[in-house]
Amino acid sequence: MTIIRISDLPAHNGQVVTLRGWVYDRTDKGKLQFIQLRDGTGIVQCVAFKREMDEAEFEIASKLTQESSIIVTGTVRADPRAPGVPGGWELGISKLELVQMAEEYPITPKEHGVEFLMDNRHLWLRSKRQWAILRIRAAIVRALRNWLDDQGFLLVDTPIITPTAGENTTNLFQIDYFGEPAYLAQTGQLYNEANMMAFGRVYCFGPTFRAEKSKTRRHLMEFWMLEPELAFCSLEELMELEEAMIAHVVAAVLEKHQPELAILERDLSRLEAIKAPFARISYDEAVERLQKLHAETTDPEAKAELAIQWGDDFGSPHETAIANMFDRPVFVYHYPTAIKAFYMEPVAGRPEVCRSVDLLAPEGYGEITGGSERIADAALLDKQIATIGIDPSNYKWYLELRRFGTVPHAGFGLGLERTVAWICGLPHVRETIPYARMLNRHYP
Ligand code: 4AD
Ligand code: MG
């Protein structure tokens, strides 16, 4: 008796196998029970036929509740009409063992409100849609890491508890570190820069924290960021790296995850269009385009949202409007220095803008990466650190990087959850992470 998982069914056509899992759904046809069995790798239709089974076991089959756990043995049959994930396979049950008859399950195939589902996130994870999303999330992580590893980047982990702010002080989570203030990392970047000087090309990938008092569909308090950092790298080279990486990731998901994308009803043509090169426009040009669009817009509400002046940061409506001008992600570079982080290199001869670049995803998903060239000059960096509002002595180590063989360098951070939302086509980031941390939620 071979124990297999549902994803292995195609290799066992006609054979007797054992599957172990949970009852996703059951249809009662009297002498026939159609059990949709899931085991984490997929869903398969298992057919219990009274005549072909032990009577007591058939009795159990005909009473199985949603999410009951069972072990079934039977013959694998190819049947193009059989539902499932992926469909086309059926198991004719000859033996059924009950592990546990589940109590009445709170989440039924009927519609539930989002807050109810988020309260039951630990159970909601078992649903088909969440299965699809979290498998694509894992696929994206795998593709990102494989690609960077192949390009000669070294994974070097960065700390979560830090004495400094990595970006700014407006959204820091402060903790009490045995009487000293410490902060949850907003970014691994500053440590990445030290690691980069040791290994040339590095990346870190871990959870980052922002106490954002905002309740938007793009913001989480805890999110995962992938951050590559490269020695001897310019902003132009950084953009080439980013577009190659993103195109690779989208292609990898399209290649291996069609069943998941089908469950999510993702418009594949939008993903198939994601090929390098991506468009590149300066912040100046983006503002000009937005002002033109603003002038042409007649709907008062839309018009008000699009208003912008040079120097303003983009809000979601601006990002969406710019993204809608292109069929693939678009880089916006050289933002005003005043609205970007302290470590960004000013543009030579025009210090009011900096060597920064954000990548805006299509279809209104907003900024998925943010990066820049880093200030190389120790004196300028020192001056910038003085503006942050945290004891500059905590940045001593970071400044030392500029004294011992500094080099031009650049890097970026990719927000995993926003990337997952975009690739999956989801309206909100809350479903892109197993347990979302939001303004009003840190349960379960
Ligand atoms: O643009 P950010 O703040 O950049 C940094 O932290 C740099 N230190 C990265 C680097 O250069 N190494 O954040 C990077 C990305 C954003 O583009 C966005 O995708 C995501 O992280 N992000 C968030 N995602 C979800 N919730 C939030 N509150 C986010 N804040 C940023
Ligand atoms: Mg940013």
Side-chain angles (χ1 to χ4, degrees):
M1 191 167 61
T2 327
I3 298 174
I4 65 164
R5 298 184 81 190
I6 290 167
S7 57
D8 297 327
L9 282 169
H12 295 269
N13 193 11
Q15 298 173 15
V16 174
V17 301
T18 297
L19 296 173
R20 301 177 294 188
W22 297 261
V23 176
Y24 195 63
D25 201 1
R26 178 173 61 85
T27 311
D28 187 344
K29 298 268 184 212
K31 290 183 169 53
L32 275 172
Q33 300 292 328
F34 294 97
I35 299 162
Q36 304 302 320
L37 183 78
R38 56 164 202 91
D39 73 349
T41 69
I43 301 179
V44 66
Q45 172 159 283
C46 301
V47 186
F49 187 21
K50 191 165 185 176
R51 276 217 326 249
E52 287 170 9
M53 286 175 69
D54 172 88
E55 203 165 317
E57 289 180 12
F58 181 81
E59 200 55 30
I60 293 169
S62 62
K63 294 206 174 82
L64 286 171
T65 52
Q66 190 186 344
E67 289 304 319
S68 286
S69 38
I70 55 173
I71 300 172
V72 287
T73 301
T75 308
V76 181
R77 296 191 285 255
D79 179 350
R81 294 160 311 165
V85 182
W89 297 93
E90 204 173 68
L91 190 84
I93 302 179
S94 50
K95 188 166 170 33
L96 184 147
E97 184 190 325
L98 180 68
V99 181
Q100 193 219 9
M101 189 67 86
E103 293 174 27
E104 194 180 338
Y105 202 61
I107 299 175
T108 61
K110 76 164 205 254
E111 290 268 313
H112 294 284
V114 168
E115 285 308 310
F116 173 84
L117 290 169
M118 289 302 287
D119 283 342
N120 287 282
R121 184 63 174 164
H122 53 299
L123 303 176
W124 190 22
L125 291 180
R126 303 181 191 191
S127 80
K128 211 192 276 189
R129 182 180 153 85
Q130 304 310 314
W131 177 86
I133 296 167
L134 293 180
R135 281 173 55 100
I136 290 179
R137 177 187 167 103
I140 292 170
V141 172
R142 199 181 307 129
L144 286 166
R145 295 204 35 193
N146 286 345
W147 192 84
L148 287 169
D149 291 346
D150 286 349
Q151 301 288 317
F153 284 77
L154 190 74
L155 173 71
V156 184
D157 303 318
T158 53
I160 285 172
I161 299 175
T162 66
T164 52
E167 287 289 303
N168 54 55
T169 47
T170 57
N171 56 21
L172 276 175
F173 272 112
Q174 188 173 328
I175 61 167
D176 174 9
Y177 197 74
F178 308 110
E180 295 277 322
Y183 311 96
L184 299 183
Q186 296 169 311
T187 170
Q189 183 194 317
L190 307 193
Y191 296 92
N192 244 1
E193 291 184 54
N195 300 341
M196 171 278 295
M197 299 278 186
F199 299 100
R201 287 179 163 204
V202 298
Y203 67 101
C204 61
F205 178 53
T208 45
F209 305 85
R210 307 265 168 110
E212 307 244 21
K213 286 257 160 66
S214 49
K215 222 180 150 181
T216 80
R217 57 199 186 86
R218 296 175 184 174
H219 286 96
L220 294 166
M221 306 299 136
E222 175 180 315
F223 65 96
W224 284 65
M225 208 195 314
L226 178 98
E227 298 180 82
E229 190 75 28
L230 298 84
F232 301 103
C233 180
S234 68
L235 200 66
E236 289 71 27
E237 289 164 321
L238 195 70
M239 289 190 247
E240 280 170 26
L241 182 92
E242 287 191 42
E243 67 193 355
M245 186 181 88
I246 301 278
H248 168 79
V249 168
V250 173
V253 173
L254 277 170
E255 189 194 325
K256 296 219 175 100
H257 297 279
Q258 291 288 331
E260 290 89 339
L261 293 168
I263 288 170
L264 299 169
E265 297 175 0
R266 183 66 171 113
D267 179 352
L268 298 182
S269 69
R270 299 302 305 255
L271 295 180
E272 282 155 0
I274 309 306
K275 303 237 158 69
F278 300 164
R280 290 151 166 74
I281 61 171
S282 66
Y283 171 86
D284 295 345
E285 186 185 341
V287 169
E288 267 172 41
R289 282 177 178 245
L290 287 168
Q291 287 174 338
K292 186 159 173 287
L293 188 64
H294 176 261
E296 290 163 357
T297 303
T298 48
D299 177 66
E301 213 174 303
K303 197 178 178 73
E305 282 188 331
L306 285 172
I308 191 157
Q309 285 190 333
W310 196 97
D312 293 346
D313 203 356
F314 297 141
S316 294
H318 303 116
E319 287 181 352
T320 301
I322 297 165
N324 284 343
M325 297 170 191
F326 304 91
D327 71 338
R328 51 189 87 179
V330 51
F331 289 112
V332 181
Y333 61 90
H334 290 187
Y335 281 81
T337 309
I339 59 169
K340 286 292 181 191
F342 67 92
Y343 51 72
M344 295 190 181
E345 178 76 18
V347 170
R350 210 187 151 202
E352 69 278 15
V353 290
C354 61
R355 299 280 285 160
S356 59
V357 63
D358 282 1
L359 182 65
L360 308 183
E363 302 171 76
Y365 285 95
E367 177 200 330
I368 53 170
T369 80
S372 74
E373 286 179 15
R374 320 307 191 186
I375 292 175
D377 180 68
L380 177 60
L381 193 58
D382 200 16
K383 210 174 107 207
Q384 287 287 89
I385 285 169
T387 67
I388 300 173
I390 286 181
D391 183 355
S393 70
N394 288 323
Y395 290 89
K396 183 171 168 283
W397 67 270
Y398 182 61
L399 277 165
E400 282 182 6
L401 302 176
R402 271 62 178 175
R403 287 172 42 208
F404 304 113
T406 191
V407 297
H409 63 285
F412 67 94
L414 172 134
L416 180 63
E417 289 74 19
R418 289 189 194 174
T419 306
V420 175
W422 163 50
I423 292 179
C424 290
L426 309 176
H428 199 293
V429 290
R430 67 186 155 221
E431 290 177 66
T432 63
I433 185 164
Y435 300 95
R437 298 299 177 234
M438 299 185 294
L439 196 53
N440 299 322
R441 175 176 298 283
H442 59 291
Y443 174 92

